[in-house]
Amino acid sequence: MSDTLKPTSFGLEKIFEGAQDFLPIMGTDYVEFYVGNAKQAAHYYKTAFGFQSEAYAGLETGLRDRTSYVVKQDKIRIVLTTALNSNSPIGEHVKKHGDGVKVIALWVEDARYSYEETIKRGAKSFMEPVVEKDDNGEVVRSGIYAYGETVFIFVERKNYNGIFLPGYKKWTSDYNPTSVGLKYVDHMVGNVGWNQMNTWVKWFEDVMGFVNFLSFDDKQITTEYSALMSKVMANGNGRIKFPINEPAEGKKKSQIEEYLDFYEGEGVQHIAVATDDIIKTVTEMRARGVEFLSAPPQAYYDMAPDRLAKFNHKLQEDVKRLQSLGIMIDADDEGYLLQIFTKPVEDRPTLFYEIIQRMGARGFGAGNFKALFESIEREQELRGTL
Ligand code: FE2
């Protein structure tokens, strides 16, 4: 039972009854940020988050309007893109939203079919299927709009052997900080506007064939001051999970509302990345300057072993180490999970990261919501946005 729990992924088999098979997704292909300065952002992800230089496109590869740096860590690929002139939709995006996620790219078998099927089901087109070629083969990509100005791009790369996409060259650097042990994207959360939750749940069901497999209402996610609602959407094989948050009325301003104000619209709130050794990963990230939310109070850690015992699990990590790093613990019937959240990684209080280690559990840390949101509220208080 509990002594045999090992780091686990969320699920690679078909686990969600009701999800439709018309859109098989094999994984997250890449996440593209539009940023003010891609060169410096890439340096940050290498230095602080342990990503490696992977690919580059810009003036030297024949582009005139933008530069993109691709950094990689195990299965996680992040693309950082900046406009090279003032007359650019990339620049407009940054002007409005600040640095943020523009593209969630999904790895599919057939990008044309994915496009046709989702459009047929009501998606708004971002990019008709395009075939890009170079000496290493071809990639087909297509795209649809999701919440806000965020887009999903379908990537078909079965006939491609190059480093990333046609047009990119390998990026070799003399500066190569080591990995911190981040492995893959576990889930990506979107914040949507007031009364928009059910619209987007229906959109994921109708357009993407996803299922809503977990819901939390504002009674479950509430502190003394603020509240929010959350629903988790997943595809059929469980590899892709998109929780959606909507603000709810509370005594003070919800963190979701703060996000919507500063992002000036709906968008990606956090990216959860998995590790097999969260103690090592977070120790390393802290040493490299990543700022995390403050730890829950002593009482939280005093109660942690009992909370696990209730589910017949035994914590394999030293609770004192977890506490000293601010890592939180949650459990369900299947196992437990360890998680921690960074502070926002840009000046606007918008996108942040979650580091997660699953030890059998398939939840999202519902048992930690209160402690987490109280920690976020302490930050909001400092920002004058609570
Ligand atoms: Fe999360």
Side-chain angles (χ1 to χ4, degrees), residues 212-223:
N212 171 210
F213 84 101
L214 269 179
S215 296
F216 307 98
D217 65 23
D218 50 342
K219 303 285 177 301
Q220 290 162 286
I221 313 184
T222 185
T223 67

Side-chain angles (χ1 to χ4, degrees), residues 71-102:
V71 293
K72 195 173 181 215
Q73 188 165 183
D74 205 324
K75 292 192 176 65
I76 314 162
R77 213 160 16 200
I78 290 179
V79 183
L80 300 149
T81 297
T82 287
L84 293 180
N85 59 61
S86 62
N87 183 27
S88 160
I90 298 161
E92 289 302 315
H93 197 277
V94 173
K95 182 183 172 193
K96 184 168 175 62
H97 303 294
D99 289 5
V101 171
K102 175 62 182 179

Side-chain angles (χ1 to χ4, degrees), residues 6 17 20 80-81 99 137 156 242 270 283 322 364 368:
K6 297 251 174 359
E17 293 305 321
Q20 293 168 51
L80 300 149
T81 297
D99 289 5
E156 172 189 330
F242 292 124
H270 76 264
T283 301
L322 297 176
F364 292 83
N368 290 326

Side-chain angles (χ1 to χ4, degrees), residues 28-45:
T28 308
D29 195 282
Y30 63 90
V31 180
E32 182 171 18
F33 287 72
Y34 283 176
V35 299
N37 188 331
K39 185 177 220 169
Q40 291 188 4
H43 193 280
Y44 174 78
Y45 279 101

Side-chain angles (χ1 to χ4, degrees), residues 187 189 270 272 341 354 364:
H187 60 274
V189 180
H270 76 264
F341 298 82
E354 171 183 351
F364 292 83

Side-chain angles (χ1 to χ4, degrees), residues 186-189 243 269-272 339 341 352 354 356 358 364-365 369 372:
D186 184 276
H187 60 274
M188 292 182 72
V189 180
Q269 178 212 35
H270 76 264
I271 303 174
Q339 64 184 169
F341 298 82
F352 57 88
E354 171 183 351
I356 184 167
R358 293 188 182 278
F364 292 83
F369 284 166
L372 167 64

Side-chain angles (χ1 to χ4, degrees), residues 261-282:
D261 286 352
F262 279 91
Y263 198 69
E264 297 192 18
E266 302 177 335
V268 174
Q269 178 212 35
H270 76 264
I271 303 174
V273 285
T275 171
D276 284 347
D277 187 346
I278 196 167
I279 289 178
K280 201 167 150 214
T281 297
V282 173

